mmCIF file of all heavy atoms in Angstrom:
data_model
loop_
_atom_site.group_PDB
_atom_site.id
_atom_site.type_symbol
_atom_site.label_atom_id
_atom_site.label_comp_id
_atom_site.label_asym_id
_atom_site.label_seq_id
_atom_site.Cartn_x
_atom_site.Cartn_y
_atom_site.Cartn_z
ATOM 1 N N GLY A 233 -40.562 95.245 96.715
ATOM 2 C CA GLY A 233 -41.028 94.664 97.963
ATOM 3 C C GLY A 233 -40.019 93.919 98.768
ATOM 4 O O GLY A 233 -40.309 93.304 99.811
ATOM 5 N N LYS A 234 -38.738 93.926 98.391
ATOM 6 C CA LYS A 234 -37.692 93.252 99.101
ATOM 7 C C LYS A 234 -36.707 94.208 99.758
ATOM 8 O O LYS A 234 -36.493 94.125 100.965
ATOM 9 C CB LYS A 234 -36.933 92.326 98.088
ATOM 10 C CG LYS A 234 -37.789 91.254 97.465
ATOM 11 C CD LYS A 234 -37.057 90.466 96.433
ATOM 12 C CE LYS A 234 -37.910 89.452 95.757
ATOM 13 N NZ LYS A 234 -37.196 88.704 94.672
ATOM 14 N N ILE A 235 -36.140 95.072 98.962
ATOM 15 C CA ILE A 235 -35.212 96.112 99.480
ATOM 16 C C ILE A 235 -35.451 97.426 98.758
ATOM 17 O O ILE A 235 -35.944 97.443 97.681
ATOM 18 C CB ILE A 235 -33.737 95.695 99.326
ATOM 19 C CG1 ILE A 235 -33.483 95.309 97.849
ATOM 20 C CG2 ILE A 235 -33.324 94.577 100.279
ATOM 21 C CD1 ILE A 235 -32.002 95.167 97.525
ATOM 22 N N GLU A 236 -35.074 98.509 99.483
ATOM 23 C CA GLU A 236 -35.232 99.807 98.844
ATOM 24 C C GLU A 236 -33.946 100.166 98.094
ATOM 25 O O GLU A 236 -32.856 100.134 98.678
ATOM 26 C CB GLU A 236 -35.508 100.852 99.941
ATOM 27 C CG GLU A 236 -35.809 102.208 99.325
ATOM 28 C CD GLU A 236 -36.172 103.227 100.395
ATOM 29 O OE1 GLU A 236 -36.505 102.832 101.525
ATOM 30 O OE2 GLU A 236 -36.073 104.446 100.098
ATOM 31 N N ILE A 237 -34.074 100.437 96.849
ATOM 32 C CA ILE A 237 -32.939 100.843 96.037
ATOM 33 C C ILE A 237 -33.195 102.115 95.303
ATOM 34 O O ILE A 237 -34.351 102.482 95.055
ATOM 35 C CB ILE A 237 -32.543 99.705 94.998
ATOM 36 C CG1 ILE A 237 -33.712 99.333 94.106
ATOM 37 C CG2 ILE A 237 -32.020 98.469 95.758
ATOM 38 C CD1 ILE A 237 -33.358 98.400 92.981
ATOM 39 N N GLU A 238 -32.125 102.785 94.950
ATOM 40 C CA GLU A 238 -32.253 104.032 94.189
ATOM 41 C C GLU A 238 -32.329 103.786 92.676
ATOM 42 O O GLU A 238 -32.975 104.502 91.932
ATOM 43 C CB GLU A 238 -31.034 104.937 94.469
ATOM 44 C CG GLU A 238 -30.808 105.188 95.953
ATOM 45 C CD GLU A 238 -31.980 105.889 96.617
ATOM 46 O OE1 GLU A 238 -32.441 106.919 96.088
ATOM 47 O OE2 GLU A 238 -32.426 105.377 97.666
ATOM 48 N N HIS A 239 -31.629 102.744 92.250
ATOM 49 C CA HIS A 239 -31.504 102.449 90.814
ATOM 50 C C HIS A 239 -31.032 100.976 90.650
ATOM 51 O O HIS A 239 -30.280 100.491 91.484
ATOM 52 C CB HIS A 239 -30.520 103.379 90.174
ATOM 53 C CG HIS A 239 -30.093 102.956 88.772
ATOM 54 N ND1 HIS A 239 -30.827 103.244 87.683
ATOM 55 C CD2 HIS A 239 -29.016 102.214 88.350
ATOM 56 C CE1 HIS A 239 -30.226 102.713 86.593
ATOM 57 N NE2 HIS A 239 -29.110 102.127 86.985
ATOM 58 N N ALA A 240 -31.445 100.343 89.569
ATOM 59 C CA ALA A 240 -30.892 99.034 89.217
ATOM 60 C C ALA A 240 -30.916 98.948 87.656
ATOM 61 O O ALA A 240 -31.841 99.396 87.022
ATOM 62 C CB ALA A 240 -31.739 97.897 89.782
ATOM 63 N N SER A 241 -29.836 98.399 87.135
ATOM 64 C CA SER A 241 -29.782 98.182 85.692
ATOM 65 C C SER A 241 -28.716 97.173 85.393
ATOM 66 O O SER A 241 -27.887 96.810 86.177
ATOM 67 C CB SER A 241 -29.483 99.505 84.950
ATOM 68 O OG SER A 241 -28.188 99.996 85.291
ATOM 69 N N ALA A 242 -28.805 96.615 84.145
ATOM 70 C CA ALA A 242 -27.814 95.706 83.634
ATOM 71 C C ALA A 242 -27.472 96.143 82.238
ATOM 72 O O ALA A 242 -28.367 96.642 81.494
ATOM 73 C CB ALA A 242 -28.315 94.269 83.675
ATOM 74 N N PHE A 243 -26.271 95.985 81.822
ATOM 75 C CA PHE A 243 -25.797 96.481 80.514
ATOM 76 C C PHE A 243 -26.338 95.574 79.375
ATOM 77 O O PHE A 243 -26.813 96.075 78.321
ATOM 78 C CB PHE A 243 -24.287 96.496 80.518
ATOM 79 C CG PHE A 243 -23.670 97.109 79.280
ATOM 80 C CD1 PHE A 243 -24.271 98.116 78.603
ATOM 81 C CD2 PHE A 243 -22.474 96.598 78.776
ATOM 82 C CE1 PHE A 243 -23.727 98.699 77.459
ATOM 83 C CE2 PHE A 243 -21.862 97.133 77.653
ATOM 84 C CZ PHE A 243 -22.492 98.197 76.973
ATOM 85 N N LEU A 244 -26.231 94.252 79.503
ATOM 86 C CA LEU A 244 -26.523 93.333 78.415
ATOM 87 C C LEU A 244 -27.552 92.269 78.860
ATOM 88 O O LEU A 244 -27.650 91.992 80.054
ATOM 89 C CB LEU A 244 -25.259 92.606 78.005
ATOM 90 C CG LEU A 244 -24.054 93.493 77.585
ATOM 91 C CD1 LEU A 244 -22.769 92.661 77.543
ATOM 92 C CD2 LEU A 244 -24.344 94.108 76.185
ATOM 93 N N TYR A 245 -28.198 91.685 77.888
ATOM 94 C CA TYR A 245 -29.090 90.510 78.143
ATOM 95 C C TYR A 245 -28.193 89.263 78.068
ATOM 96 O O TYR A 245 -27.378 89.137 77.135
ATOM 97 C CB TYR A 245 -30.170 90.420 77.070
ATOM 98 C CG TYR A 245 -31.292 91.425 77.244
ATOM 99 C CD1 TYR A 245 -31.566 92.355 76.228
ATOM 100 C CD2 TYR A 245 -32.106 91.402 78.343
ATOM 101 C CE1 TYR A 245 -32.626 93.295 76.373
ATOM 102 C CE2 TYR A 245 -33.154 92.297 78.538
ATOM 103 C CZ TYR A 245 -33.376 93.251 77.492
ATOM 104 O OH TYR A 245 -34.398 94.140 77.626
ATOM 105 N N PHE A 246 -28.410 88.379 79.040
ATOM 106 C CA PHE A 246 -27.688 87.117 79.077
ATOM 107 C C PHE A 246 -28.589 86.013 78.586
ATOM 108 O O PHE A 246 -29.622 85.728 79.197
ATOM 109 C CB PHE A 246 -27.211 86.850 80.487
ATOM 110 C CG PHE A 246 -26.448 85.605 80.710
ATOM 111 C CD1 PHE A 246 -25.045 85.621 80.804
ATOM 112 C CD2 PHE A 246 -27.074 84.379 80.801
ATOM 113 C CE1 PHE A 246 -24.309 84.491 81.025
ATOM 114 C CE2 PHE A 246 -26.356 83.177 81.035
ATOM 115 C CZ PHE A 246 -24.942 83.264 81.133
ATOM 116 N N ASN A 247 -28.249 85.385 77.455
ATOM 117 C CA ASN A 247 -29.008 84.280 76.952
ATOM 118 C C ASN A 247 -28.142 83.029 76.854
ATOM 119 O O ASN A 247 -26.963 83.111 76.574
ATOM 120 C CB ASN A 247 -29.544 84.570 75.541
ATOM 121 C CG ASN A 247 -30.506 85.723 75.542
ATOM 122 O OD1 ASN A 247 -31.602 85.641 76.133
ATOM 123 N ND2 ASN A 247 -30.159 86.819 74.873
ATOM 124 N N LYS A 248 -28.773 81.843 77.126
ATOM 125 C CA LYS A 248 -28.000 80.612 77.053
ATOM 126 C C LYS A 248 -27.445 80.457 75.662
ATOM 127 O O LYS A 248 -28.120 80.638 74.676
ATOM 128 C CB LYS A 248 -28.965 79.437 77.354
ATOM 129 C CG LYS A 248 -29.385 79.343 78.837
ATOM 130 C CD LYS A 248 -28.221 78.804 79.690
ATOM 131 C CE LYS A 248 -28.697 78.587 81.113
ATOM 132 N NZ LYS A 248 -27.607 78.088 81.996
ATOM 133 N N LYS A 249 -26.146 80.060 75.618
ATOM 134 C CA LYS A 249 -25.395 79.830 74.379
ATOM 135 C C LYS A 249 -25.252 81.108 73.510
ATOM 136 O O LYS A 249 -24.929 80.993 72.349
ATOM 137 C CB LYS A 249 -26.040 78.698 73.565
ATOM 138 C CG LYS A 249 -26.067 77.407 74.300
ATOM 139 C CD LYS A 249 -26.640 76.266 73.464
ATOM 140 C CE LYS A 249 -26.596 74.952 74.256
ATOM 141 N NZ LYS A 249 -27.193 73.838 73.439
ATOM 142 N N GLY A 250 -25.512 82.266 74.090
ATOM 143 C CA GLY A 250 -25.354 83.510 73.380
ATOM 144 C C GLY A 250 -23.991 84.115 73.560
ATOM 145 O O GLY A 250 -23.159 83.607 74.305
ATOM 146 N N ILE A 251 -23.739 85.241 72.902
ATOM 147 C CA ILE A 251 -22.457 85.880 72.952
ATOM 148 C C ILE A 251 -22.129 86.361 74.326
ATOM 149 O O ILE A 251 -20.935 86.288 74.769
ATOM 150 C CB ILE A 251 -22.405 87.055 71.926
ATOM 151 C CG1 ILE A 251 -20.976 87.684 71.912
ATOM 152 C CG2 ILE A 251 -23.442 88.101 72.241
ATOM 153 C CD1 ILE A 251 -20.858 88.741 70.821
ATOM 154 N N VAL A 252 -23.106 86.854 75.093
ATOM 155 C CA VAL A 252 -22.811 87.354 76.427
ATOM 156 C C VAL A 252 -22.420 86.211 77.358
ATOM 157 O O VAL A 252 -21.532 86.383 78.215
ATOM 158 C CB VAL A 252 -24.058 88.130 76.969
ATOM 159 C CG1 VAL A 252 -23.773 88.621 78.392
ATOM 160 C CG2 VAL A 252 -24.320 89.308 76.086
ATOM 161 N N GLN A 253 -23.042 85.065 77.219
ATOM 162 C CA GLN A 253 -22.628 83.910 78.025
ATOM 163 C C GLN A 253 -21.163 83.564 77.731
ATOM 164 O O GLN A 253 -20.428 83.273 78.662
ATOM 165 C CB GLN A 253 -23.540 82.662 77.724
ATOM 166 C CG GLN A 253 -23.182 81.489 78.604
ATOM 167 C CD GLN A 253 -23.975 80.244 78.321
ATOM 168 O OE1 GLN A 253 -24.241 79.930 77.171
ATOM 169 N NE2 GLN A 253 -24.400 79.535 79.337
ATOM 170 N N GLU A 254 -20.769 83.654 76.497
ATOM 171 C CA GLU A 254 -19.383 83.334 76.145
ATOM 172 C C GLU A 254 -18.434 84.359 76.765
ATOM 173 O O GLU A 254 -17.390 84.020 77.310
ATOM 174 C CB GLU A 254 -19.249 83.371 74.625
ATOM 175 C CG GLU A 254 -17.895 82.866 74.095
ATOM 176 C CD GLU A 254 -17.635 81.436 74.379
ATOM 177 O OE1 GLU A 254 -18.584 80.631 74.599
ATOM 178 O OE2 GLU A 254 -16.423 81.057 74.451
ATOM 179 N N LEU A 255 -18.822 85.617 76.736
ATOM 180 C CA LEU A 255 -18.019 86.689 77.357
ATOM 181 C C LEU A 255 -17.820 86.461 78.845
ATOM 182 O O LEU A 255 -16.737 86.576 79.371
ATOM 183 C CB LEU A 255 -18.654 88.045 77.069
ATOM 184 C CG LEU A 255 -18.600 88.637 75.680
ATOM 185 C CD1 LEU A 255 -19.315 89.971 75.630
ATOM 186 C CD2 LEU A 255 -17.166 88.765 75.203
ATOM 187 N N ILE A 256 -18.971 86.230 79.549
ATOM 188 C CA ILE A 256 -18.929 86.064 80.962
ATOM 189 C C ILE A 256 -18.116 84.811 81.343
ATOM 190 O O ILE A 256 -17.367 84.796 82.332
ATOM 191 C CB ILE A 256 -20.325 85.960 81.544
ATOM 192 C CG1 ILE A 256 -21.148 87.295 81.289
ATOM 193 C CG2 ILE A 256 -20.298 85.655 83.037
ATOM 194 C CD1 ILE A 256 -20.511 88.515 81.975
ATOM 195 N N HIS A 257 -18.258 83.763 80.527
ATOM 196 C CA HIS A 257 -17.497 82.545 80.790
ATOM 197 C C HIS A 257 -16.008 82.765 80.663
ATOM 198 O O HIS A 257 -15.190 82.346 81.498
ATOM 199 C CB HIS A 257 -17.899 81.459 79.802
ATOM 200 C CG HIS A 257 -17.169 80.133 79.995
ATOM 201 N ND1 HIS A 257 -17.526 79.217 80.918
ATOM 202 C CD2 HIS A 257 -16.086 79.670 79.356
ATOM 203 C CE1 HIS A 257 -16.696 78.189 80.856
ATOM 204 N NE2 HIS A 257 -15.817 78.438 79.948
ATOM 205 N N ASN A 258 -15.623 83.508 79.615
ATOM 206 C CA ASN A 258 -14.174 83.855 79.433
ATOM 207 C C ASN A 258 -13.648 84.742 80.562
ATOM 208 O O ASN A 258 -12.488 84.648 80.942
ATOM 209 C CB ASN A 258 -13.982 84.482 78.050
ATOM 210 C CG ASN A 258 -13.910 83.498 76.978
ATOM 211 O OD1 ASN A 258 -13.037 82.657 76.896
ATOM 212 N ND2 ASN A 258 -14.872 83.522 76.058
ATOM 213 N N LEU A 259 -14.509 85.629 81.040
ATOM 214 C CA LEU A 259 -14.081 86.534 82.125
ATOM 215 C C LEU A 259 -13.992 85.787 83.409
ATOM 216 O O LEU A 259 -13.011 85.916 84.132
ATOM 217 C CB LEU A 259 -15.134 87.665 82.250
ATOM 218 C CG LEU A 259 -15.064 88.517 83.473
ATOM 219 C CD1 LEU A 259 -13.763 89.312 83.572
ATOM 220 C CD2 LEU A 259 -16.255 89.509 83.514
ATOM 221 N N LYS A 260 -14.963 84.942 83.718
ATOM 222 C CA LYS A 260 -15.100 84.310 85.006
ATOM 223 C C LYS A 260 -14.178 83.130 85.200
ATOM 224 O O LYS A 260 -13.623 82.853 86.295
ATOM 225 C CB LYS A 260 -16.529 83.854 85.215
ATOM 226 C CG LYS A 260 -16.925 83.547 86.641
ATOM 227 C CD LYS A 260 -18.433 83.409 86.776
ATOM 228 C CE LYS A 260 -18.849 83.143 88.202
ATOM 229 N NZ LYS A 260 -20.352 83.144 88.311
ATOM 230 N N TYR A 261 -13.986 82.357 84.108
ATOM 231 C CA TYR A 261 -13.274 81.074 84.248
ATOM 232 C C TYR A 261 -11.964 80.990 83.401
ATOM 233 O O TYR A 261 -11.158 80.113 83.644
ATOM 234 C CB TYR A 261 -14.154 79.895 83.855
ATOM 235 C CG TYR A 261 -15.442 79.851 84.700
ATOM 236 C CD1 TYR A 261 -16.657 80.128 84.134
ATOM 237 C CD2 TYR A 261 -15.372 79.516 86.055
ATOM 238 C CE1 TYR A 261 -17.821 80.081 84.877
ATOM 239 C CE2 TYR A 261 -16.544 79.494 86.822
ATOM 240 C CZ TYR A 261 -17.769 79.742 86.211
ATOM 241 O OH TYR A 261 -18.863 79.711 86.992
ATOM 242 N N LYS A 262 -11.800 81.894 82.476
ATOM 243 C CA LYS A 262 -10.612 81.839 81.583
ATOM 244 C C LYS A 262 -9.601 82.959 81.866
ATOM 245 O O LYS A 262 -8.601 83.078 81.167
ATOM 246 C CB LYS A 262 -11.057 81.879 80.122
ATOM 247 C CG LYS A 262 -11.993 80.758 79.693
ATOM 248 C CD LYS A 262 -11.299 79.411 79.770
ATOM 249 C CE LYS A 262 -12.199 78.329 79.220
ATOM 250 N NZ LYS A 262 -11.623 76.998 79.277
ATOM 251 N N GLY A 263 -9.903 83.777 82.854
ATOM 252 C CA GLY A 263 -8.914 84.822 83.275
ATOM 253 C C GLY A 263 -8.845 85.999 82.351
ATOM 254 O O GLY A 263 -7.893 86.821 82.530
ATOM 255 N N ASN A 264 -9.815 86.195 81.445
ATOM 256 C CA ASN A 264 -9.788 87.314 80.528
ATOM 257 C C ASN A 264 -10.442 88.507 81.179
ATOM 258 O O ASN A 264 -11.549 88.921 80.858
ATOM 259 C CB ASN A 264 -10.433 86.970 79.175
ATOM 260 C CG ASN A 264 -10.191 88.005 78.127
ATOM 261 O OD1 ASN A 264 -9.705 89.109 78.407
ATOM 262 N ND2 ASN A 264 -10.488 87.640 76.894
ATOM 263 N N GLU A 265 -9.723 89.116 82.158
ATOM 264 C CA GLU A 265 -10.260 90.228 82.923
ATOM 265 C C GLU A 265 -10.427 91.493 82.092
ATOM 266 O O GLU A 265 -11.132 92.448 82.542
ATOM 267 C CB GLU A 265 -9.388 90.476 84.153
ATOM 268 C CG GLU A 265 -9.396 89.362 85.156
ATOM 269 C CD GLU A 265 -8.611 89.724 86.419
ATOM 270 O OE1 GLU A 265 -9.266 90.330 87.321
ATOM 271 O OE2 GLU A 265 -7.426 89.423 86.460
ATOM 272 N N GLU A 266 -9.767 91.594 80.976
ATOM 273 C CA GLU A 266 -9.933 92.762 80.102
ATOM 274 C C GLU A 266 -11.360 92.938 79.603
ATOM 275 O O GLU A 266 -11.805 94.036 79.322
ATOM 276 C CB GLU A 266 -8.965 92.662 78.953
ATOM 277 C CG GLU A 266 -8.783 93.978 78.208
ATOM 278 C CD GLU A 266 -7.718 93.932 77.117
ATOM 279 O OE1 GLU A 266 -7.238 92.835 76.796
ATOM 280 O OE2 GLU A 266 -7.403 94.971 76.517
ATOM 281 N N ILE A 267 -12.125 91.841 79.588
ATOM 282 C CA ILE A 267 -13.532 91.897 79.195
ATOM 283 C C ILE A 267 -14.279 92.885 80.155
ATOM 284 O O ILE A 267 -15.064 93.718 79.703
ATOM 285 C CB ILE A 267 -14.209 90.544 79.221
ATOM 286 C CG1 ILE A 267 -13.598 89.654 78.126
ATOM 287 C CG2 ILE A 267 -15.729 90.621 79.105
ATOM 288 C CD1 ILE A 267 -14.020 88.171 78.225
ATOM 289 N N GLY A 268 -14.022 92.751 81.424
ATOM 290 C CA GLY A 268 -14.665 93.612 82.411
ATOM 291 C C GLY A 268 -14.307 95.072 82.229
ATOM 292 O O GLY A 268 -15.212 95.936 82.348
ATOM 293 N N THR A 269 -13.078 95.315 81.884
ATOM 294 C CA THR A 269 -12.623 96.700 81.637
ATOM 295 C C THR A 269 -13.368 97.325 80.446
ATOM 296 O O THR A 269 -13.887 98.425 80.538
ATOM 297 C CB THR A 269 -11.089 96.769 81.437
ATOM 298 O OG1 THR A 269 -10.403 96.211 82.522
ATOM 299 C CG2 THR A 269 -10.657 98.181 81.135
ATOM 300 N N VAL A 270 -13.392 96.552 79.323
ATOM 301 C CA VAL A 270 -14.066 97.082 78.130
ATOM 302 C C VAL A 270 -15.540 97.323 78.365
ATOM 303 O O VAL A 270 -16.103 98.328 77.981
ATOM 304 C CB VAL A 270 -13.827 96.089 76.963
ATOM 305 C CG1 VAL A 270 -14.668 96.505 75.756
ATOM 306 C CG2 VAL A 270 -12.322 96.057 76.595
#
């Protein structure tokens, strides 16, 4: 009801204090851009 899209998905679930939060934090604030590549 907001915008028309063909597809939407996300790879991982993000939970507070979980492993994915740690990965995103390291990617976003610690300069570990290799996380995005993998």
Side-chain angles (χ1 to χ4, degrees):
K234 298 176 182 177
I235 52 170
E236 185 176 343
I237 57 173
E238 306 299 309
H239 166 84
S241 63
F243 184 36
L244 304 164
Y245 286 117
F246 181 100
N247 296 297
K248 289 286 187 181
K249 298 183 180 179
I251 184 174
V252 178
Q253 183 182 42
E254 187 66 22
L255 289 178
I256 298 297
H257 180 83
N258 279 297
L259 168 63
K260 196 169 183 176
Y261 302 111
K262 301 294 185 180
N264 192 346
E265 293 187 87
E266 194 175 8
I267 292 170
T269 301
V270 172

